[in-house]
Amino acid sequence: MEAGESNSGNERRIISKDSSWFSQFRNASNPWMARYAYALIFLLSNLLAWAARDYGRGALTEMKRLKGCNGGKDCLDAEGVLRVSLGCFIFFMIMFFSTARTSKLNDVRDTWHSGWWSVKIALWVVITIIPFLLPSEFIQIYGEVAHFGAGVFLLIQLISIISFITWLNDCCESEKFAARCRIHVMLFATTAYVVCLVGIILMYIWYAPKPSCLLNIFFISWTLVLLQLMTSVSLHPKVDAGILTPGLMGLYVVFLCWCAIRSEPAGGSCIRKSDSATKTDWLSIISFVVAVLAIVIATFSTGIDSKCFQLKKDNTPAAEDDVPYGYGFFHFVFATGAMYFAMLLIGWNSHHSMRKWTIDVGWTSTWVKIVNEWLAVCVYLWMLIAPIVWNIRHIGST
């Protein structure tokens, strides 16, 4: 029996190495290829949710079960998004429970993860339709739960980004690359700080043109304070984390601040917008398409980064038949990502009317990004000072 399983695993590896990408996909022999199929399913769900929001009102109003929507006719748009999101969430949760803790390539669950595409596509279609048969009250409850799920996705993404930044810094400071990367580190760090300062200056010019723009002035000024705080803590002798990580984190928090202010509703005198801001133009369409692709890419890249969430690091080299990434974590990230894209398309408010070709606009969206920015700084600072705190506690206990 064991010999048979071993031969099966060897056959799969031979197929994976020698066959075309289509053969690998068809024979369920390449879990790396499977990621792109799941990303495509996720992208299609995003597009369906967008279509339900912007163009589905005529079809949705014909469904009697939606007449009890608490938000009136504008809520139909949000309900369509939430129903598609619920279907996507259920699909990836099924995949999560059926592939969690898979460790070997010749496991049956590995074959299910990397193959059986006709069955999974049919399953996705059916599960996408089912939420449209559910009562409006249930969808409203899901909408409230999706706020929490989207927050979990943002936290996972945040930790993944910070872990990547610290990993990059550790590689540059390692004995193998320290001498070679010294000039590159200084160049990248200097460039990051220059971009941060230029970004802050431009935000003052574009989004705080008047002294009465107190909220935007506060957002931008506090971002500058946080940048200085991260740099000071990172360069403290007891921390000595270098100058690269606070520079890259500065880029991230400045970007979050910019996105937050851009999410403020149109009409205020503190944000310079063109006279055609209320109309749909090519720039709005391009911005929307880029935003949707960014959601898919962010979910895709975060889903394969399960190692940064391991509490206990395992330096044991991976065996040849070990799975290349955590399947369960991958699907869990996509499940929470389904809740996240729903929140972006409805502006984090199921009773908020969104203009066509817009995404993540509204005061709720603004504050979600601002809180995410502050949380990012807190998590980063904690990762810097946590080893010192634990050492002090350990010395005190002994």
Side-chain angles (χ1 to χ4, degrees):
M1 182 69 178
E2 292 181 358
E5 291 181 354
S6 176
N7 292 334
S8 175
N10 291 332
E11 289 175 2
R12 285 194 61 194
R13 285 192 289 276
I14 293 173
I15 292 174
S16 178
K17 292 179 180 179
D18 299 336
S19 301
S20 65
W21 66 269
F22 179 76
S23 298
Q24 297 175 27
F25 181 80
R26 182 186 60 191
N27 293 302
S29 60
N30 193 338
W32 289 110
M33 192 70 66
R35 301 174 307 155
Y36 297 98
Y38 290 115
L40 179 60
I41 291 175
F42 187 75
L43 174 61
L44 291 176
S45 296
N46 277 258
L47 296 177
L48 284 174
W50 158 72
R53 188 197 70 176
D54 286 1
Y55 300 100
R57 179 178 297 181
L60 292 175
T61 50
E62 297 177 2
M63 302 176 68
K64 295 182 179 180
R65 66 186 60 84
L66 296 181
K67 289 185 177 180
C69 184
N70 295 326
K73 63 178 182 179
D74 290 335
C75 194
L76 289 172
D77 305 330
E79 277 213 0
V81 172
L82 291 174
R83 290 173 188 274
V84 175
S85 170
L86 177 59
C88 184
F89 170 77
I90 294 175
F91 172 79
F92 281 107
M93 285 305 294
I94 290 175
M95 294 304 304
F96 165 72
F97 287 116
S98 59
T99 60
R101 308 183 77 84
T102 305
S103 59
K104 299 298 180 181
L105 288 176
N106 54 3
D107 194 307
V108 175
R109 292 172 296 177
D110 169 61
T111 305
W112 166 244
H113 169 80
S114 304
W116 292 83
W117 290 109
S118 58
V119 175
K120 284 187 288 194
I121 291 174
L123 177 66
W124 172 68
V125 172
V126 171
I127 293 177
T128 301
I129 296 174
I130 289 177
F132 285 89
L133 307 177
L134 300 176
S136 178
E137 292 76 13
F138 184 85
I139 301 302
Q140 291 298 321
I141 294 174
Y142 170 75
E144 297 301 322
V145 175
H147 285 83
F148 173 77
V152 172
F153 174 82
L154 286 175
L155 182 61
I156 293 174
Q157 186 185 50
L158 171 63
I159 296 175
S160 178
I161 291 173
I162 296 177
S163 297
F164 171 76
I165 291 175
T166 54
W167 169 84
L168 181 63
N169 184 68
D170 291 341
C171 287
C172 293
E173 292 184 351
S174 63
E175 295 181 359
K176 184 177 180 180
F177 300 105
R180 191 189 312 173
C181 294
R182 187 170 302 163
I183 297 178
H184 298 84
V185 168
M186 291 300 299
L187 179 62
F188 286 140
T190 302
T191 303
Y193 278 104
V194 170
V195 172
C196 288
L197 293 177
V198 171
I200 289 174
I201 292 172
L202 291 178
M203 283 193 290
Y204 273 122
I205 296 173
W206 291 340
Y207 306 129
K210 302 177 182 178
S212 58
C213 302
L214 295 178
L215 186 59
N216 287 353
I217 292 175
F218 167 71
F219 288 159
I220 301 169
S221 301
W222 189 244
T223 299
L224 182 60
V225 172
L226 293 177
L227 177 60
Q228 176 62 42
L229 179 62
M230 289 189 297
T231 304
S232 300
V233 174
S234 181
L235 296 179
H236 192 278
K238 290 186 178 180
V239 177
D240 194 22
I243 197 173
L244 180 61
T245 52
L248 296 178
M249 279 299 300
L251 288 176
Y252 182 55
V253 298
V254 169
F255 172 74
L256 289 177
C257 181
W258 177 79
C259 290
I261 298 177
R262 288 287 299 173
S263 294
E264 293 178 5
S269 60
C270 294
I271 299 182
R272 296 184 177 180
K273 293 182 181 290
S274 63
D275 296 335
S276 61
T278 58
K279 300 179 181 179
T280 301
D281 55 9
W282 64 271
L283 186 59
S284 299
I285 296 175
I286 292 176
S287 299
F288 178 85
V289 172
V290 170
V292 171
L293 292 177
I295 297 170
V296 177
I297 293 172
T299 308
F300 177 84
S301 58
T302 305
I304 61 174
D305 193 20
S306 59
K307 291 184 177 180
C308 68
F309 294 89
Q310 294 178 352
L311 297 178
K312 189 175 181 180
K313 300 298 180 182
D314 185 8
N315 296 323
T316 305
E320 187 178 358
D321 61 344
D322 285 348
V323 295
Y325 55 91
Y327 297 163
F329 179 80
F330 176 84
H331 292 297
F332 178 77
V333 171
F334 271 84
T336 56
M339 294 181 167
Y340 178 64
F341 79 68
M343 292 297 102
L344 295 186
L345 287 173
I346 67 175
W348 295 80
N349 186 351
S350 59
H351 307 298
H352 173 62
S353 180
M354 296 281 287
R355 191 165 54 88
K356 285 186 177 181
W357 295 102
T358 58
I359 189 169
D360 205 16
V361 175
W363 285 113
T364 307
S365 299
T366 297
W367 280 105
V368 166
K369 290 187 175 73
I370 288 296
V371 172
N372 189 31
E373 174 195 346
W374 298 346
L375 181 61
V377 176
C378 291
V379 172
Y380 172 72
L381 293 177
W382 173 248
M383 292 179 68
L384 292 181
I385 65 176
I388 300 175
V389 173
W390 291 121
N391 288 337
I392 294 176
R393 291 187 60 182
H394 178 70
I395 294 174
S397 63
T398 55

